[in-house]
Structure formats: C-alpha cells, structure tokens
Amino acid sequence: MSSLKPLHTFGLNHTAESISYLATPSDFQELVGLALNTDFILLGSGSNVVFLEDISIPVFINRFYGKTLEETNDAYIVKVNSGENWHEFVVWCLDHNINGFENLGLIPGTVGASPVQNIGAYGVEVERFIKEVEYLNLKTGNFETLLKNKCNFGYRDSIFKMSCLKVA
C-alpha cells in the first residue's frame, strides 16, 4: 500500500493499492486497455480531491511536463504538457512577456485540468487562450486534436467534462 497523503492538497492519511506515475505519451497510452476494463483514478495535483478512505483501484499521477514557445509576428504559440502546474505556467508566461494570464494566477491544479473546467477568474477564462487541445482517446489509444470551437466551452464547463467525448 502506498500513501496518498502527499498527492492531494488536503493531505489526509489514506493509501492506495497501487500508484503509478505517467511521464510520457506512451505511459498514457497504457491506460487505454485499463480504461476499457476497470476503474482507475488519474490525478494531476490533487487540488480538488479529498480521499476519505483507502483506495483499492489503481491511481495514476500525471507527471507529463514540458513547454515549447514559438513567437510569430503577431502571436505567441505555447504548447504545454498536461502535468505542468497551472500557477507556475502562468508565472512562466509572464516571465516570457506573454500577457493576459495575470487574472488566472494562483488557481490550483495542472494545465491538463484547465480546459476541462474552463478555469477562470476576474472575468478571464482559459478558453480565451486556447487554440486547440490534444487529448488521448481512451477508446482508440490515439492522440487526437480538438480545435477550440469543438471544445464546447461554457462557464466552468467543456466537452471534456462529459462522460463520452462526442465530436460532430
């Protein structure tokens, strides 16, 4: 049994039967067969999770880090992996003179969770900065890209909160 205490912000002392860390795209693809056959928990920073008891299903921790920056004449194009800490990403953007994210600082969680919830604060939502989202289709095992207009962003909502991703 492994401790869940350091893996969620409430720090309650519970355990999981197994904890694995996902750091590469192929690590995530290993979830495909599992997703079709069993329940599991995928955590980023655990900022909105409270464990009230020991966990008997597998727990996976997103540690897929990395950022790239491309500057064009009229825009910055940033690709950021899902395991990056959201607030640290906002600070990184500001350090690189990429403005607009200031209102979104100090929001807990990971970059990968940000489009799911369409995080926002003080009149700014993350959808404003998203061009597209790459995600793993747990049914096919393929990484797919969804353009912003197909993400169905709403107030604290997106297509990624639905139980089954359906794109017309």
Side-chain angles (χ1 to χ4, degrees), residues 25-75:
S26 60
D27 289 345
F28 281 90
Q29 287 177 310
E30 291 179 20
L31 293 179
V32 174
L34 186 64
L36 298 176
N37 299 311
T38 189
D39 291 331
F40 63 89
I41 296 171
L42 176 60
L43 284 179
S45 64
S47 59
N48 288 321
V49 177
V50 177
F51 291 108
L52 299 176
E53 57 189 26
D54 293 340
I55 304 298
S56 60
I57 61 176
V59 175
F60 295 91
I61 310 300
N62 184 351
R63 294 294 187 257
F64 186 36
Y65 302 129
K67 299 179 280 298
T68 61
L69 172 60
E70 177 187 340
E71 190 174 343
T72 68
N73 288 336
D74 59 348

Side-chain angles (χ1 to χ4, degrees), residues 115-116 118 127 130-135 145-154 157-162 165-167:
V116 175
N118 188 21
E127 74 171 289
I130 293 176
K131 177 182 175 187
E132 61 190 28
V133 175
E134 184 178 18
Y135 68 97
T145 301
L146 204 55
L147 296 175
K148 176 183 178 171
N149 66 341
K150 298 289 186 179
C151 292
N152 296 343
F153 287 119
D157 198 18
S158 73
I159 195 169
F160 305 105
K161 287 177 87 170
M162 298 176 190
L165 182 63
K166 297 179 182 176
V167 181

Side-chain angles (χ1 to χ4, degrees), residues 42-128:
L42 176 60
L43 284 179
S45 64
S47 59
N48 288 321
V49 177
V50 177
F51 291 108
L52 299 176
E53 57 189 26
D54 293 340
I55 304 298
S56 60
I57 61 176
V59 175
F60 295 91
I61 310 300
N62 184 351
R63 294 294 187 257
F64 186 36
Y65 302 129
K67 299 179 280 298
T68 61
L69 172 60
E70 177 187 340
E71 190 174 343
T72 68
N73 288 336
D74 59 348
Y76 293 101
I77 301 168
V78 178
K79 183 174 181 181
V80 60
N81 293 339
S82 60
E84 291 284 343
N85 175 278
W86 176 258
H87 175 70
E88 291 174 13
F89 171 64
V90 170
V91 171
W92 180 88
C93 287
L94 296 173
D95 287 346
H96 287 83
N97 296 315
I98 302 171
N99 298 313
F101 286 88
E102 298 85 346
N103 289 7
L104 300 178
L106 298 175
I107 294 175
T110 59
V111 169
S114 68
V116 175
Q117 183 72 10
N118 188 21
I119 61 171
Y122 307 105
V124 178
E125 293 181 331
V126 74
E127 74 171 289
R128 176 189 293 184

Side-chain angles (χ1 to χ4, degrees), residues 16-30:
E17 198 166 297
S18 72
I19 298 175
S20 301
Y21 294 85
L22 307 174
T24 67
S26 60
D27 289 345
F28 281 90
Q29 287 177 310
E30 291 179 20

